[in-house]
């Protein structure tokens, strides 16, 4: 198991190119199941999760190849196999994205139930509710979602859940409705930019969709979809992560490809925290103007502050002047990173779905454990600003969602290296537990 060794204290500076969005790529790749003929998709990041979805597509008869310039070509070559097995699905929750397209295009599907995650319970009841409303017959059998349908029929579907709209649930129903008979209206749909990006791909394949990016999406079903050429949008979560890394180190970083209109809530909170981010041609620049200041925020569905930047913001506010209150409304238990930040000297107290963060002048290097994708990014950000060295174990979590993370940070002046699974001795701490 690889780990990162980071020596904190360097102010990051320079330019970083923001890659394609993981959370747009996954449903877009799943949507190729709907098409006749090849699709050519550009700006798909090289990530573990993308690899996992491509393996599932291969399993269900979609050939996937990447050309010399990195474009992915996806084409359905065999429609017999409709099973996405546990062994592949358990590695990545977003595998559920193939359920809607399989039902809509092939009239049957057998997809392993995705497990829960460390960020909290991850039910799929809204996905199933939406597909049933379109006429699919769905049952859970031996840990699998088993679905059958003659041609799906358009319907009005309300997709609001206990924490608001569901992103992948909206994607599932929107994809399925493209080949349904008649019109579907999704009420309380997710408005995330990744949903808009997916709708753009579906429209490029010949789908009729209105209102993507709003809480009401209208889809008129068509007879068939054909492969299309498309580009995945830049990753707003990766962009936010680098803006916060630049801020916490007192640096000056230009994020090429980052878009302000995709990060409004984030830029608003950063400004309130005395972090100066400006729009420049082709991207966003963060330029430190001194120590961050306390601010309060609530993680909410888009266009609110994204839950996928909550952990990174917690790291930033742990060195801010004053005490901040941060509330998590999308995944109320998504605070596993706070204990590890505590090991680095952060002062964070939890109260239900909120934490209060009493800023300290400086964090200290320590040995910490990554637990999930965004928590790991938060630990890297904290380590970049900490005194001394930090060792972050289990960084395989990061490889799921950040492409060439340490190379990009090193190009900005960070002192970071990846070590493969052997013990690392820290000055004065001696060797730690045997390598996992
Ligand atoms: C997507 O997950 C993202 N994943 C997540 O990013 C992100 O955190 C999340 O949206 C929220 O923005 C991908 O796009 C691959 P949800 P998703 O369904 O769609 C409840 C990352 O770090 N809910 O919008 O699975 C659910 O429990 C990942 O890149 C139901 O109750 O999230 C949660 O509280 C982590 N029933 C809330 O809705 C359902 O059927 C929002 O979840 C579905 C969801």
């Amino acid at each position: 198991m690889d780990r990162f060794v980071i020596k904190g204290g360097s102010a990051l500076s320079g330019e970083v190119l923001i890659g394609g969005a993981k959370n747009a790529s996954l449903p877009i790749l799943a949507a190729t199941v709907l098409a006749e003929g090849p699709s050519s998709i550009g700006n798909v990041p090289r990530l573990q999760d993308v690899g996992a979805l491509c393996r599932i597509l291969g399993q269900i008869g979609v050939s996937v190849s990447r050309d010399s310039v990195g474009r992915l070509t996806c084409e359905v070559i065999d429609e017999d196999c409709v099973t996405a097995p546990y062994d592949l699905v358990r590695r990545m929750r977003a595998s559920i994205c193939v359920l809607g397209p399989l039902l809509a295009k092939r009239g049957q599907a057998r997809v392993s139930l995705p497990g829960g995650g460390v960020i909290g319970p991850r039910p799929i009841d809204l996905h199933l509710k939406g597909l049933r409303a379109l006429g699919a017959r769905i049952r859970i059998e031996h840990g699998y979602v088993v679905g059958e349908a003659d041609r799906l029929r358009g319907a009005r579907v309300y997709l609001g859940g206990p924490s608001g709209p569901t992103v992948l649930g909206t994607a599932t129903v929107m994809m399925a409705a493209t080949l349904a008979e008649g019109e579907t209206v999704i009420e309380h749909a997710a408005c995330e930019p990744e949903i808009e990006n997916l709708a753009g791909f579906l429209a490029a394949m010949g789908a009729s969709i209105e209102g993507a990016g709003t809480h009401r999406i209208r889809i008129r079903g068509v007879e068939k979809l054909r492969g299309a050429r498309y580009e995945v949008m830049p990753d707003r979560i990766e962009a936010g992560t680098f803006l916060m890394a630049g801020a916490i180190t007192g640096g000056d970083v230009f994020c090429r490809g980052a878009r302000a209109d995709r990060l409004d809530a984030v830029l608003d909170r950063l400004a309130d925290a005395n972090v100066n981010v400006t729009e420049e041609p082709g991207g966003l620049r963060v330029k430190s103007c001194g120590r961050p200041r306390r601010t309060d925020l609530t993680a909410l569905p888009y266009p609110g502050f994204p839950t996928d930047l909550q952990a990174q913001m917690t790291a930033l506010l742990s060195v801010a002047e004053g005490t901040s209150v941060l509330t998590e409304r999308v995944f109320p238990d998504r605070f596993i990173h706070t204990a590890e930040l505590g090991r680095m000297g952060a002062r964070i107290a939890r109260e239900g779905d909120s934490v209060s963060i009493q800023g300290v002048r400086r964090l200290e290097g320590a040995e910490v454990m990554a637990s999930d994708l965004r928590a790991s990014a938060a630990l890297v950000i904290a380590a970049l600003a900490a005194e001394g060295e930090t060792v972050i174990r289990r960084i395989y979590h990061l490889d799921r969602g950040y492409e060439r993370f340490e190379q990009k940070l090193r190009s900005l002046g960070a002192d970071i290296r990846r070590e493969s699974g052997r013990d690392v001795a820290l000055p004065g701490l001696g060797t730690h537990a045997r390598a996992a």
Side-chain angles (χ1 to χ4, degrees):
M1 276 198 209
D2 288 6
R3 63 198 68 201
F4 278 153
V5 181
I6 300 174
K7 189 160 184 334
S10 324
L12 300 188
S13 75
E15 173 169 328
V16 62
L17 178 62
I18 300 302
K22 167 180 82 77
N23 291 348
S25 301
L26 299 175
I28 285 173
L29 291 172
T32 60
V33 170
L34 295 161
E36 289 173 20
S39 290
S40 166
I41 305 164
N43 205 26
V44 178
R46 293 173 191 275
L47 300 169
Q48 301 279 346
D49 278 9
V50 167
L53 191 75
C54 292
R55 279 189 291 283
I56 289 175
L57 289 177
Q59 179 79 27
I60 57 177
V62 183
S63 81
V64 183
S65 58
R66 199 185 272 265
D67 67 16
S68 56
V69 290
R71 294 191 74 82
L72 283 185
T73 300
C74 303
E75 182 167 13
V76 176
I77 52 172
D78 174 3
E79 291 205 323
D80 290 346
C81 180
V82 295
T83 298
Y86 171 74
D87 193 41
L88 294 179
V89 172
R90 72 183 172 81
R91 296 170 199 283
M92 190 206 34
R93 203 194 123 67
S95 321
I96 194 72
C97 281
V98 300
L99 178 63
L102 282 171
L103 274 171
K105 183 73 171 61
R106 303 184 193 177
Q108 47 174 340
R110 193 167 165 276
V111 177
S112 169
L113 271 171
V118 289
I119 64 177
R122 311 284 302 272
I124 57 163
D125 56 311
L126 295 168
H127 299 236
L128 305 186
K129 172 187 170 188
L131 292 170
R132 285 189 175 113
L134 299 187
R137 297 177 297 282
I138 293 188
R139 60 189 188 279
I140 307 296
E141 213 172 69
H142 305 296
Y144 278 76
V145 181
V146 180
E148 280 134 22
D150 312 319
R151 184 163 180 203
L152 295 176
R153 279 184 324 278
R156 180 179 286 278
V157 188
Y158 178 80
L159 272 191
S163 316
T166 161
V167 178
L168 291 183
T170 301
T172 290
V173 178
M174 185 166 73
M175 290 190 278
T178 56
L179 292 178
E181 200 165 340
E183 181 174 278
T184 296
V185 178
I186 305 177
E187 295 289 358
H188 211 55
C191 305
E192 269 66 6
E194 292 76 18
I195 291 291
E196 272 187 82
N197 202 217
L198 171 63
F201 177 54
L202 295 168
M205 296 202 290
S208 161
I209 301 179
E210 281 166 31
T214 75
H215 281 313
R216 176 175 294 146
I217 304 178
R218 197 178 289 277
I219 307 112
R220 283 191 199 80
V222 296
E223 289 302 318
K224 68 177 185 178
L225 297 174
R226 62 190 180 286
R229 188 177 173 82
Y230 197 67
E231 299 300 314
V232 169
M233 61 179 265
D235 195 321
R236 63 193 171 101
I237 305 299
E238 185 194 16
T241 303
F242 276 101
L243 291 174
M244 293 177 191
I248 203 171
T249 60
D252 177 348
V253 174
F254 178 64
C255 298
R256 183 164 294 287
R259 289 179 47 173
D261 62 346
R262 296 273 185 255
L263 288 166
D264 289 315
V266 178
L267 301 186
D268 169 74
R269 290 297 86 195
L270 286 176
D272 194 54
N274 190 30
V275 173
N276 171 36
V277 178
T278 48
E279 265 188 277
E280 291 184 10
L284 293 174
R285 178 179 299 281
V286 58
K287 195 169 165 114
S288 170
C289 43
R291 191 177 171 193
R293 201 178 38 226
R294 59 148 316 277
T295 186
D296 298 339
L297 67 99
T298 303
L300 291 164
Y302 192 87
F305 190 98
T307 172
D308 294 346
L309 283 171
Q310 180 259 96
Q312 299 92 316
M313 194 68 178
T314 307
L316 178 64
L317 293 175
S318 64
V319 294
E321 209 159 344
T323 300
S324 312
V325 175
L326 187 155
T327 303
E328 170 59 72
R329 286 275 152 73
V330 181
F331 296 108
D333 289 323
R334 195 176 197 172
F335 289 115
I336 204 164
H337 48 284
T338 57
E340 295 305 296
L341 289 171
R343 293 176 52 75
M344 300 176 73
R347 294 205 194 124
I348 305 174
R350 178 157 176 205
E351 185 82 35
D353 63 2
S354 293
V355 288
S356 74
I357 311 163
Q358 191 189 340
V360 296
R361 209 155 251 300
R362 194 87 198 266
L363 294 171
E364 295 167 358
E367 294 219 32
V368 292
M369 186 83 79
S371 54
D372 68 273
L373 170 58
R374 308 304 174 183
S376 336
L379 295 178
V380 170
I381 287 177
L384 291 169
E387 191 141 15
E389 275 195 0
T390 296
V391 175
I392 306 178
R393 296 165 177 266
R394 299 194 179 174
I395 52 166
Y396 59 83
H397 290 291
L398 264 166
D399 296 333
R400 294 190 44 202
Y402 291 92
E403 186 176 0
R404 301 178 60 253
F405 199 41
E406 76 263 29
Q407 288 89 338
K408 288 186 178 182
L409 285 169
R410 250 199 313 273
S411 75
L412 297 171
D415 183 340
I416 176 170
R417 66 180 191 277
R418 179 184 290 251
E419 300 243 346
S420 55
R422 62 181 178 78
D423 287 347
V424 172
L426 275 189
L429 288 177
T431 59
H432 230 65
R434 291 275 116 233

